[in-house]
Amino acid sequence: MTTRAVTTRAVTTRAVTTKAMTTRVRPRRGDPALGVIALVALGLYVLFIVVPVIMSAWKSLTNENPLLARADFVGLSNYKEMAHDSALAGSLGFTLLLAGAVTIVANAAGIGFAMLLNKTSLSFRMMRTVAFLPQVLSGVIVGYVWRYILARDGILDNVLISLGIIDRPITWLGSPHLAVLSVGLVAAWVLTGFTTVVHLAALQSIPGELYQAAMVDGAGRWQRFRRITFPMLAPGTTISVTISLITMLKLYDIIAVLTSGGPANSTQSTALYIIQLAFTDDRYGYASAVAMLLLVVSIVLALSVTALLRRREVDL
């Protein structure tokens, strides 16, 4: 047998062995293990999502109160009461304003930071980690840190006074308008880490040949952004905006620590109002009704925004 024949047989044997190993580790169709994993995931979803929603929907039809011996069925009375609840109207208005403003600001900032960090060097990879850091921190920690920064005679006031921008301390959390602005800026700061990562991933999926062709045609930076970058970011923007909106609609922890809903309930979100109804006023039934309202509002807004933004993806 010649050396060439031996070599050919060895290569063939190795290829067959590699293919067999690959075939063994590749999951087969109808693998029972995958079915078990799917059932476990479905069971957890039903247990922690579907069941609590059903229980909350049932409680919203009762007058459940831990101070009462039993809960009576009251039908739609809790929902009728919501129509005359000025505190609920105020909290819902603040929640919608906060969700809309923060979603726009955080996603605009996320696109900007993503374009700045869209480099492959080590320093830029480290800056990406720093940019995502606010999203990793607990909302309670963020609230305490920013409450210290925004306090009267706090870090921010001292810096602004030393730079000569202001001549006296500002009560950032003591005035209703400034408190709303402060909560919005802190929430946008946290959310920008998430939007930056999503848009950065979308940027890296854009073929470089498109930019090269545009530069050959004489397109400037603004034209390349308007004609290539912004349209091609559409799928990432849809995901980022939808998740940002849902996150802001149920925001609780940052507001609870930063302002506790004050001053004069100017920063009381709907989620914070639900917690107050349930654990301060002991009105579990009415709190459940408000929670169902928030759920419906979140679903309607999320589906509407998703459908609107997906129209930009049709031509991609």
Side-chain angles (χ1 to χ4, degrees):
M1 183 178 294
T2 62
T3 305
R4 184 176 181 180
V6 173
T7 304
T8 303
R9 178 176 295 181
V11 172
T12 304
T13 304
R14 182 178 300 174
V16 172
T17 304
T18 304
K19 184 177 180 180
M21 293 175 61
T22 305
T23 304
R24 283 198 301 267
V25 299
R26 183 180 301 169
R28 297 173 300 173
R29 290 182 177 272
D31 192 339
L34 296 179
V36 172
I37 295 175
L39 287 176
V40 171
L42 180 62
L44 292 175
Y45 178 80
V46 171
L47 180 62
F48 293 104
I49 302 296
V50 177
V51 172
V53 169
I54 294 176
M55 292 177 62
S56 181
W58 167 251
K59 289 180 183 296
S60 69
L61 303 176
T62 68
N63 64 347
E64 182 170 347
N65 187 319
L67 303 180
L68 300 178
R70 62 186 182 88
D72 297 324
F73 181 80
V74 296
L76 300 177
S77 297
N78 290 325
Y79 293 95
K80 293 178 181 178
E81 183 179 349
M82 288 192 295
H84 308 285
D85 191 343
S86 59
L88 172 61
S91 67
L92 190 59
F94 168 73
T95 300
L96 295 176
L97 173 64
L98 181 70
V102 171
T103 297
I104 294 174
V105 171
N107 280 274
I111 294 176
F113 283 126
M115 295 183 66
L116 291 175
L117 298 175
N118 190 22
K119 302 291 189 299
T120 57
S121 62
L122 178 61
S123 59
F124 280 93
R125 290 201 298 267
M126 294 177 62
M127 284 190 286
R128 293 176 199 172
T129 304
V130 174
F132 189 68
L133 186 60
Q135 186 67 29
V136 178
L137 297 176
S138 166
V140 175
I141 295 177
V142 170
Y144 276 115
V145 170
W146 277 97
R147 191 172 71 175
Y148 179 75
I149 294 174
L150 297 174
R152 187 176 179 84
D153 293 328
I155 296 176
L156 181 59
D157 280 344
N158 291 329
V159 170
L160 294 179
I161 291 175
S162 63
L163 294 176
I165 299 177
I166 59 176
D167 56 359
R168 66 180 65 181
I170 297 177
T171 54
W172 298 99
L173 303 178
S175 168
H177 296 294
L178 288 178
V180 171
L181 177 63
S182 299
V183 170
L185 290 177
V186 172
W189 176 77
V190 173
L191 199 58
T192 298
F194 168 77
T195 60
T196 299
V197 171
V198 173
H199 286 106
L200 184 60
L203 275 177
Q204 293 176 346
S205 66
I206 301 177
E209 293 80 3
L210 295 178
Y211 292 105
Q212 295 174 2
M215 293 175 66
V216 170
D217 292 338
R221 289 187 177 181
W222 169 247
Q223 289 178 321
R224 293 198 300 269
F225 173 79
R226 188 165 64 92
R227 298 295 185 182
I228 300 176
T229 305
F230 188 68
M232 295 294 288
L233 285 177
T237 301
T238 300
I239 296 173
S240 180
V241 169
T242 303
I243 295 179
S244 300
L245 186 64
I246 295 173
T247 301
M248 288 299 103
L249 287 173
K250 62 184 182 64
L251 185 64
Y252 163 75
D253 47 4
I254 294 177
I255 300 176
V257 176
L258 195 61
T259 64
S260 299
N265 293 332
S266 60
T267 60
Q268 186 178 59
S269 65
T270 306
L272 191 63
Y273 184 54
I274 293 172
I275 298 298
Q276 175 186 327
L277 288 172
F279 300 104
T280 301
D281 301 339
D282 295 320
R283 301 186 62 190
Y284 287 5
Y286 187 59
S288 297
V290 176
M292 296 306 300
L293 173 65
L294 181 60
L295 175 63
V296 172
V297 170
S298 300
I299 292 174
V300 171
L301 288 179
L303 292 178
S304 301
V305 170
T306 302
L308 180 64
L309 293 178
R310 280 185 174 173
R311 294 180 182 178
R312 296 178 55 220
E313 305 177 22
V314 175
D315 298 331
L316 293 181

